Amino acid sequence: MALSLDEVRRIAVLARLELSPEEEQLFQGQLSAVLDYVAQLEELDVSGVEPMTHALAEAGAAPLRPDELQPSLPPEEAVRAAPAREGTFFKVPRIIE
Amino acid sequence: MSGAGELLDLSLTGLSAALAAGRVSAREATEAALARIEATDGRVGAFLAVTAERARERAAAADARAARGARLGPLDGVPLAVKDLFLTRGVATTAASRILAGFVPPYDAAVVERLEAAGAVLLGKLNLDEFAMGSSNENSAVKPCHNPWDLARTPGGSSGGSAAALAARQAFGTLGTDTGGSIREPAAFCGVVGLKPTYGRVSRYGVVAFASSLDQPGPLGRTVGDAAALLQVIAGRDARDLTSSTRPVDDYGAALEEGARGLTVGVPRAWLAEGVEAGVARRVKEALALYERLGAKLVDVELPHTKYGIAAYYLIAPAEASSNLARYDGVRFGLREGGAGGLKGMYGATRAAGFGAEPKRRIMLGTYALSAGYYDAYYLRAQKVRTLLRRDFERAFERCDVIAGPVTPAVAFRLGEKVADPLAMYLEDVFTVTCNLAALPGLSVPCGLHPEQQLPVGLQLIGRPFDEATLLRAARALEREQGPLPRPAGLEA
């Protein structure tokens, strides 16, 4: 299935990726080739087949932790790796005009 | 111990025995490994970071424990290294991506905690394909890794550094992760043992996430016993990962020497037909014949949906990746670019500058597969095919204890050979991805060298859920009968 350049650009917006014109061209071709390949799944009759929603048969059956307050990362530690911070807050560009 | 070379030739279990007997110290083993890394890694490129000071401190602590008679177990004092996808407190973790530049985690991954609690000496962090996305280690944003058997060839990916470091005798054991074959493929290419445990057997807490329903940490060793010793330590329930299993952990060492007699080995004949290079098929068939001589029974099994595995995988894995990699936005950690362009501009610019081509490709593919109007046609259908694949295996395991076949269609390919064609690269995983999609354990064990190319060939063994013990038993039987591979030639010249 061939993707148009507009579709590539729309996906990039959804994915929050700025692409260069060269990347748009490259991905248009490469993603189209992969989508052509995965189209073979249409050969299979999957009516009545449940999707595999859990990789582990017992998933969902594992005991949850007790709902109790536990120590976690102190705020100073949690923001230490941020590229910009103010006190114990993550600092981001202004979003309100 | 007469010299560093002889020491480095020891397996993990051999070194452990020598440490326990006092024939060698953890300091000597650590210094030998660090010197080997220093001498060879300029050519191999297996390490992204060497934590020499920390390793020396840990080795000294292990020697002090030994002097007090308080040895912690088989990994105490043993120099190991881990893929740079595992968080390490106070040590940079990069996932081989520019977007994690400068990131120093405030906590350790569960498996790192377990290794260190067992006394292991961590030498450093190992090279990989960016965010574990790739089959050749060429997608590393830092540097490619080279195969010690032939430095012009790929070590496989994404845990290429984990396999190459072992083959280059730089470490006595390593950890990797396997999402679609990323432990087994590099293990096969580098002539070492790699085990992808059952999904849920090993905690994913503190592992940089790629595709959460497929990712699984696991061990690589120079011998089957080494892989078993590592798995013994890292396996088991971790309350911080709700998908980690509550099932008890087997005694993997006890299973090792039971031999192949009485095992039923399932052979999907289609895996040895079309598309498999003749030299690889020959070695795999010889291994199967050897099993028969050792008292195992071979039966044919059908896995009719295998051919759809790659297609399902390259919808499901990118879909999950597009979600997991949404967290890299320049706000909380790593790189930030384009702060002057407002918040959305910063997101787009950070991600454009931080991700390499393969993560971008997979994020785009996954976003598309999950987007309105395409979810049912792509993602949901792929998840249904996953059910069909799982059923194939369930039916096969009614007739056999393990399934055996090739790990890859060919031996290690040349660096650069498939870079321009992502689909060709994806097809490398044709025999490995089904195991992840069905959440089963899989193991790669060397089964000799390719008759012409003199490069390692891996035999893949796939088992029932949580039956890693039978995989290790079967692999050990083959290993014992075949003997070790010769030393890789690539570093000797």
Side-chain angles (χ1 to χ4, degrees), chain B residues 1-7 23:
Chain B
M1 209 55 56
S2 65
E6 192 184 330
L7 202 166
R23 293 198 304 274

Side-chain angles (χ1 to χ4, degrees), chain A residues 48-54, chain B residues 379-387:
Chain A
V49 178
E50 285 296 309
M52 187 168 155
T53 50
H54 294 290
Chain B
Y379 185 74
L380 189 65
R381 178 172 281 266
Q383 290 285 51
K384 291 180 178 180
V385 173
R386 200 173 172 181
T387 301

Side-chain angles (χ1 to χ4, degrees), chain A residues 1 11 15-16 18 23 30 37 41 43-44 49-50 52 55-56 58 63 77 81-83 90-91 93 95, chain B residues 106 199 213 237 243 245 247 308 330 332-333 336 339 343 351-352 360-361 364 368 381 383-384 387 437 439:
Chain A
M1 178 187 155
I11 302 164
R16 299 262 188 263
E18 278 179 11
E23 284 178 317
Q30 291 179 340
Y37 180 81
L41 294 184
E43 295 167 11
L44 288 168
V49 178
E50 285 296 309
M52 187 168 155
L56 190 59
E58 67 210 49
E77 275 293 305
F90 297 108
K91 193 171 177 183
I95 54 171
Chain B
Y199 182 85
S213 79
R237 170 74 175 164
T243 61
S245 175
R247 293 191 195 204
Y308 300 103
R332 285 152 298 170
F333 39 75
R336 173 180 290 194
L343 191 67
R351 290 160 66 77
K360 283 181 186 172
R361 204 157 25 238
M364 295 279 289
Y368 182 70
R381 178 172 281 266
Q383 290 285 51
K384 291 180 178 180
T387 301
L437 289 165

Side-chain angles (χ1 to χ4, degrees), chain B residues 315-346:
Chain B
L315 288 170
I316 293 166
E320 295 184 9
S322 71
S323 171
N324 276 321
L325 271 56
R327 66 178 60 123
Y328 303 102
D329 55 9
V331 174
R332 285 152 298 170
F333 39 75
L335 186 75
R336 173 180 290 194
E337 293 281 336
L343 191 67
K344 285 185 182 172
M346 184 193 85

Side-chain angles (χ1 to χ4, degrees), chain B residues 466-492:
Chain B
F466 298 99
D467 195 12
E468 286 82 3
T470 300
L471 291 187
L472 290 161
R473 170 190 168 191
R476 174 64 189 138
L478 182 76
E479 176 186 69
R480 188 173 49 204
E481 199 64 19
Q482 289 198 325
L485 293 178
R487 189 180 286 181
L491 284 173
E492 304 302 321

